[in-house]
Amino acid sequence: MNPKKLVMFATELFDRLSAAGWIPALLMRLFVGYFFMETGWGKIHNLDAFTTRFAQWGIPHPAFNAALSAYTEFLGGALTILGLGMRFVSIPMIINMIVAIVTVKLKNVSGLDDFVELDEPLYALSFVWLFFSGAGWLSVDGLFKRALNFWIRPERSQATVGALSTRCAEARDDANGLRDF
């Protein structure tokens, strides 16, 4: 195989992977969003027991904080699935996980090994990643962004449409050229 063709193939492959960067955001949103929507729904519908657990953990104002936590999880999960206000939604979700770690989970942690086995830091990090990366192309936020770009800068949007058409044609030509390998 020609080394130059191999480098071109690798470059094209990496470009295509970069263009598919919306897929991890979608999968992360669907997974953690569903998880939190489901757990929040369960806590909302058993709020008395959840409030009792908050009181046992020594959390102040257990009824208010239990309801706040449950509704934050449910609404935050639903908005995460939709990708609506993802960067704003991430903040209370991260705070909810930090509070759970500090007030409940750290009591049973005796070292780094115990800490990294907790679920809450992973969920918090998921929302940190979504905060910085955004909801991705396939989301309500992505739809709003494209609509705003089209409305605010129609000349740029038309140029984008032209560029996308050109890239599609180039990708088709490249795919035909890859048959030579």
Side-chain angles (χ1 to χ4, degrees):
M1 183 183 291
N2 182 345
K4 185 176 180 179
K5 281 190 176 184
L6 183 60
V7 169
M8 288 174 50
F9 174 75
T11 301
E12 179 66 25
L13 179 64
F14 290 134
D15 287 345
R16 288 177 190 232
L17 285 172
S18 294
W22 60 271
I23 295 172
L26 173 66
L27 296 175
M28 181 68 74
R29 280 191 5 253
L30 294 176
F31 183 85
V32 297
Y34 181 80
F35 173 81
F36 279 104
M37 192 174 78
E38 180 185 41
T39 59
W41 183 258
K43 292 170 183 174
I44 289 168
H45 285 84
N46 200 1
L47 204 50
D48 291 337
F50 194 48
T51 300
T52 301
R53 287 175 41 201
F54 267 50
Q56 291 169 346
W57 291 330
I59 295 175
H61 312 289
F64 172 77
N65 284 314
L68 179 64
S69 177
Y71 280 100
T72 297
E73 286 187 17
F74 177 72
L75 294 173
L79 292 170
T80 298
I81 289 171
L82 295 171
L84 178 58
M86 191 70 255
R87 288 188 164 104
F88 297 113
V89 169
S90 294
I91 295 167
M93 299 301 281
I94 293 166
I95 292 169
N96 209 27
M97 290 300 96
I98 290 171
V99 169
I101 292 166
V102 170
T103 60
V104 179
K105 298 296 181 169
L106 276 183
K107 295 174 185 174
N108 300 321
V109 172
S110 62
L112 183 60
D113 289 342
D114 291 339
F115 183 76
V116 297
E117 291 179 9
L118 296 175
D119 295 332
E120 292 78 4
L122 289 175
Y123 289 125
L125 287 173
S126 297
F127 281 104
V128 167
W129 181 73
L130 287 167
F131 176 81
F132 285 101
S133 71
W137 182 81
L138 190 57
S139 65
V140 176
D141 286 354
L143 180 66
F144 283 155
K145 181 180 177 182
R146 288 188 301 281
L148 283 173
N149 278 339
F150 186 78
W151 183 67
I152 293 172
R153 299 183 215 146
E155 71 286 344
R156 181 175 173 210
S157 298
Q158 292 304 320
T160 302
V161 169
L164 284 174
S165 298
T166 303
R167 284 195 75 195
C168 288
E170 289 171 356
R172 183 186 63 246
D173 293 343
D174 288 345
N176 290 333
L178 290 177
R179 292 189 187 129
D180 297 338
F181 280 99

